[in-house]
Amino acid sequence: MKIRITSNTFSSVLAAALTSVTTVAATSAPTPQYQIYDIGVVDVGDTFSQGLGVSPEGIAVGRSIRNDGSHAFSWTLNGGIVGLPDLAGRSYCVSNSANDSGGVVGTGATTVFGSGRLPVIWQNGVVSQLPLPVGQTLGDANSVNASGVVVGSVNAGSDQRGVIYSAGSATIITQTTADGSYFLTAFGINDSGRIVGQGIDPAHAARNVGIVYDMGQNMAFDVGALPGANGALAFGVSNNGYVVGSSMFNQGSGMPFIWSDQNGIVAIPLASGTSLGQAQGVNSSGWVVGTDGGAFAVPFLYDGTNTYRLQDLIPGNSGWDLSMNTSSSAMAISENNIIVGTGVHNGETHAYAMVPATPTPTPTPSSTPTATPIATPRVTPRPRPTPHPRPTPPH
């Protein structure tokens, strides 16, 4: 089951980030209702696309893949999909994150697996490479905040380290937690400089560390683990400090969680019919999206009380399958509750944006934009997941 992408690599961490648990739940607030939009593909002949991130105000980003390369893209409800230029010498590009000031960040590589990866920024559509620390030749960019501070990683394998790109330079995150755990890679940053990611515990290498670094306080800490687990992976952070991810025992399957300064780590109930999962994105209202699993990938929305399958929140005749395949995901949620991810639309794997709808009238497919142009109805075989979340690709 495919969950998270970095460095142009599919990374389902469900194998390394999820646990068996029974489902949810209570009902109190009205069930959210959404209209779903097909983001489509950039060029005729692109075989599929993926939605990977969204800015606070709803700019979606991801990649559109063809046999010999991939285009990073941005998308807005009014403007549709816009392909972003490739970095010179890197024909496989992916955009992972955007802010609302025209900044988009991601990775350029020479293969779909992320070989020769470099951190990339598009500022108002103009592409450039982010600087690497002295002596480094590989890097990626995973998240950008409103101030244009970018986080990701440099190097590969056991030498990979979390990094901050800011003010024309790159700095490796050297601050460790109280027990000496350090950043392997940074997945998210919020506007106040709270950074989240995957850490390594040198005393217990098999244990994942959901690591957090606060730039203002120059302090790092571990979010801990859910009962029965000994570690976690932290994938997303909201502007008011919520952290989400998955908690597991060693490299086993895990369970989605939300962490806050007030309550610590708390399990998110699983969507119906699933047995494992991970949370990917969170907004300041505490709404969380991610992907649960079992036989199929099941994107979900958690509103602080109930966990909903995204399939149940969209019009029944939309042509979208978000529950009966292994390609679907929910990767990010904006401050105004726009959800971005990947699903299967009329047989084609495409990025989507789900926009909150008023309860009545129920949207109909006739008002739903379709992908333009239409992609060839053939999906390129995807790289298989690796045992670690968002790993460094081979180079």
Side-chain angles (χ1 to χ4, degrees):
M1 171 178 171
K2 174 188 71 201
I3 301 294
R4 181 66 168 168
I5 297 163
T6 189
S7 310
N8 276 357
T9 302
F10 283 90
S11 295
S12 155
V13 246
L14 281 216
L18 313 172
T19 199
S20 295
V21 183
T22 53
T23 329
V24 208
T27 337
S28 52
T31 300
Q33 293 189 22
Y34 276 85
Q35 174 64 290
I36 185 167
Y37 294 86
D38 188 342
I39 290 176
V41 295
V42 172
D43 290 330
V44 174
D46 287 0
T47 50
F48 64 97
S49 62
Q50 298 168 304
L52 303 179
V54 67
S55 75
E57 294 183 6
I59 302 168
V61 295
R63 66 174 175 175
S64 180
I65 299 180
R66 58 190 184 278
N67 289 331
D68 60 350
S70 64
H71 285 301
F73 68 75
S74 65
W75 176 95
T76 59
L77 183 59
N78 293 327
I81 191 170
V82 176
L84 299 172
D86 290 345
L87 186 70
R90 299 295 186 273
S91 57
Y92 290 85
C93 288
V94 55
S95 47
N96 292 319
S97 175
N99 61 25
D100 294 314
S101 304
V104 177
V105 300
T107 302
T110 57
T111 70
V112 72
F113 300 99
S115 304
R117 77 194 201 283
L118 291 173
V120 175
I121 185 167
W122 293 267
Q123 191 64 45
N124 296 313
V126 178
V127 65
S128 59
Q129 180 192 326
L130 288 163
L132 290 167
V134 175
Q136 300 293 332
T137 58
L138 298 173
D140 45 46
N142 295 325
S143 183
V144 59
N145 70 9
S147 301
V149 180
V150 181
V151 297
S153 71
V154 294
N155 218 315
S158 61
D159 294 324
Q160 187 175 9
R161 293 293 183 273
V163 69
I164 300 169
Y165 306 95
S166 179
S169 64
T171 305
I172 292 173
I173 304 171
T174 57
Q175 184 65 39
T176 62
T177 66
D179 68 359
S181 295
Y182 58 88
F183 263 87
L184 182 71
T185 188
F187 294 145
I189 182 173
N190 70 7
D191 290 348
S192 61
R194 174 168 281 185
I195 300 168
V196 302
Q198 178 186 5
I200 296 293
D201 179 354
H204 188 173
R207 182 178 82 89
N208 288 316
V209 177
I211 194 167
V212 180
Y213 172 58
D214 278 329
M215 295 176 65
Q217 301 178 52
N218 193 31
M219 176 189 70
F221 62 92
D222 183 341
V223 298
L226 293 173
N230 66 354
L233 298 163
F235 293 117
V237 58
S238 70
N239 276 333
N240 59 351
Y242 290 121
V243 177
V244 296
S246 186
S247 179
M248 72 294 297
F249 185 83
N250 288 345
Q251 306 299 312
S253 58
M255 176 172 183
F257 72 82
I258 181 169
W259 179 98
S260 66
D261 293 289
Q262 296 76 21
N263 300 319
I265 189 168
V266 177
I268 294 173
L270 293 173
S272 61
T274 64
S275 59
L276 41 79
Q278 69 181 31
Q280 291 286 159
V282 58
N283 65 18
S284 297
S285 299
W287 283 33
V288 181
V289 296
T291 309
D292 289 340
F296 301 108
V298 179
F300 70 83
L301 167 67
Y302 172 67
D303 66 359
T305 303
N306 298 301
T307 300
Y308 302 96
R309 297 161 67 104
L310 293 191
Q311 186 74 64
D312 299 333
L313 306 183
I314 60 176
N317 54 355
S318 66
W320 282 92
D321 169 17
L322 301 179
S323 62
M324 298 295 290
N325 63 77
T326 57
S327 299
S328 292
S329 66
M331 299 299 293
I333 184 168
S334 71
E335 292 295 270
N336 51 356
N337 297 331
I338 294 172
I339 300 169
V340 170
T342 303
V344 177
H345 185 221
N346 295 327
E348 296 181 335
T349 302
H350 280 184
Y352 67 77
M354 285 175 52
V355 178
T358 52
T360 54
T362 301
T364 61
S366 61
S367 64
T368 304
T370 56
T372 306
I374 301 299
T376 307
R378 178 173 59 86
V379 176
T380 300
R382 299 167 176 71
R384 302 313 304 161
T386 64
H388 296 283
R390 302 180 62 177
T392 302
H395 63 285

